[in-house]
Amino acid sequence: MTGETIRTVAPGGTIGMLGGGQLGRMTALAAAQLGYKTHVFSPDADSPCAQVSAAETVALYSDHEALAKFARSVDVVTLEWENIPVQTLAFLAKFVPVHPGPGVLAIAQDRLLEKDFVNRLGIATAPWEPARCPGQAATAYQTIGTPCVMKSARMGYDGKGQIKLTGDTAPVDAWKSIGGVDAIVEGFVDFALEVSVIVARGQDGEMVAYPAVENRHANHILDETIAPAAIAPETAAEAERVALRIADALRFVGVLAVEMFVTRNGGVLVNELAPRPHNSGHWTMDACASSQFEQLVRAVCGLPLGSVERVADAVMKNLIGDDVESWPDLLAEPGARLHLYGKAEARPGRKMGHVTRLKPLARAP
């Protein structure tokens, strides 16, 4: 217990959702199952979340008049995208509880602050150096060595805003190519696989963690998640311990995803944090007693957290771009659980839906 005040929102209340994407959509559906309404705030009309929500506000995140009106219409605010301006959350917090809060968001949306926060907890990451200017970019490159990767400190995702450095590109030119913005230079890690652990943490400090899952990428975008990851029990336990430690240190309320590398010797290195439901947790909708989306609703509304018991093993496959055209075959496939996001246009690299295939629980040897 944290000693913090628990502000319970009873069923029948309204959850304010910042961001209108598919994560908001699936959270709104989970909220409806528990008797809550969702009011989405997004700059985009007819968003995936708005299609299944009770109310929609279409306005910029800088529109204080619209934000104030939105805040007065909801009982609690959460988010489905970590790049909401911190100032937006701070403004809303004057009117209504906001989870996660602006302080958490400030850390999670800046790779430099994020890496420093994790390292200060005594948790390992890949070696890294800041590159906020041309001089730092050159120094960081010399310190880290090749191969390495330069990433913009903010806003990059799915491979955007980053460049691999192998010695062929001058670090200052690389820094300019990603926009000449605050950046980070990270050393490459010889890892066995990538995993993530999703933690739900309530207002009272109660925490539950889903098992570590393996994530496989294609073109820098998550392609498949395999639940649970085929790693040693002690490695899985360490990944869970690390994720829980970070969530608790942040005094997080909601759902936090911690992405990690598993090294060849079974160690874990934190890669990134996502302060919201995560693509690698979609399998929980079909294979767990409570999904990651239900956990978010429970946490922000001050309810007891749900069970993370796994009722099946699972493989989740993203449907990217034209992959969604296979929906008739997926609907006809026995055991396939199809989830489509209501997006009108299938573009290359755009997440249009996912399919989860369940398998019987593996028995321990």
Side-chain angles (χ1 to χ4, degrees), residues 28 74 84 147 270 275 299 328 346 360:
V74 302
I84 305 293
V270 169

Side-chain angles (χ1 to χ4, degrees), residues 93-146:
K94 299 175 183 178
F95 302 89
V96 66
V98 177
H99 304 299
V104 170
L105 206 63
I107 293 171
Q109 63 184 210
D110 187 309
R111 287 189 173 94
L112 294 168
L113 296 178
E114 182 178 272
K115 288 285 196 295
D116 183 64
F117 180 84
V118 170
N119 289 161
R120 285 176 182 272
L121 295 177
I123 296 170
T125 61
W128 65 276
E129 290 289 333
R132 296 185 176 90
C133 62
Q136 277 195 342
T139 300
Y141 175 76
Q142 292 173 348
T143 301
I144 298 297
T146 56

Side-chain angles (χ1 to χ4, degrees), residues 64-65 67-75 95-96:
H64 283 191
E65 182 178 350
L67 287 170
K69 185 176 179 181
F70 167 74
R72 294 186 181 101
S73 74
V74 302
D75 298 292
F95 302 89
V96 66

Side-chain angles (χ1 to χ4, degrees), residues 174-327:
W175 182 76
K176 291 178 180 177
S177 76
I178 62 172
V181 294
D182 285 357
I184 186 170
V185 175
E186 296 180 4
F188 264 70
V189 176
D190 181 25
F191 60 88
L193 69 162
E194 296 182 55
V195 301
S196 59
V197 173
I198 293 174
V199 174
R201 186 177 184 275
Q203 295 179 34
D204 61 354
E206 177 191 5
M207 294 189 292
V208 294
Y210 291 96
V213 297
E214 179 183 353
N215 297 319
R216 298 179 179 178
H217 293 78
N219 300 317
H220 300 288
I221 300 174
L222 181 63
D223 180 41
E224 279 189 339
T225 292
I226 300 167
I231 53 179
E234 56 269 25
T235 302
E238 175 63 7
E240 182 177 319
R241 183 196 70 80
V242 163
L244 290 166
R245 174 80 175 93
I246 292 171
D248 208 39
L250 287 169
R251 300 176 73 85
F252 195 86
V253 175
V255 170
L256 175 73
V258 182
E259 298 178 73
M260 293 170 259
F261 298 119
V262 175
T263 63
R264 301 289 177 185
N265 64 2
V268 295
L269 302 174
V270 169
N271 181 29
E272 289 185 345
L273 310 180
R276 36 97 179 150
H278 194 256
N279 199 169
S280 69
H282 291 355
W283 66 278
T284 63
M285 299 172 72
D286 299 304
C288 290
S290 301
S291 74
Q292 64 167 345
F293 303 104
E294 180 180 328
Q295 299 285 26
L296 176 59
V297 173
R298 287 170 173 260
V300 303
C301 290
L303 308 180
L305 297 179
S307 168
V308 294
E309 180 184 0
R310 196 171 76 258
V311 298
D313 291 346
V315 176
M316 187 283 302
K317 169 80 171 176
N318 270 332
L319 301 176
I320 307 294
D322 290 340
D323 291 348
V324 73
E325 299 302 328
S326 65
W327 65 264

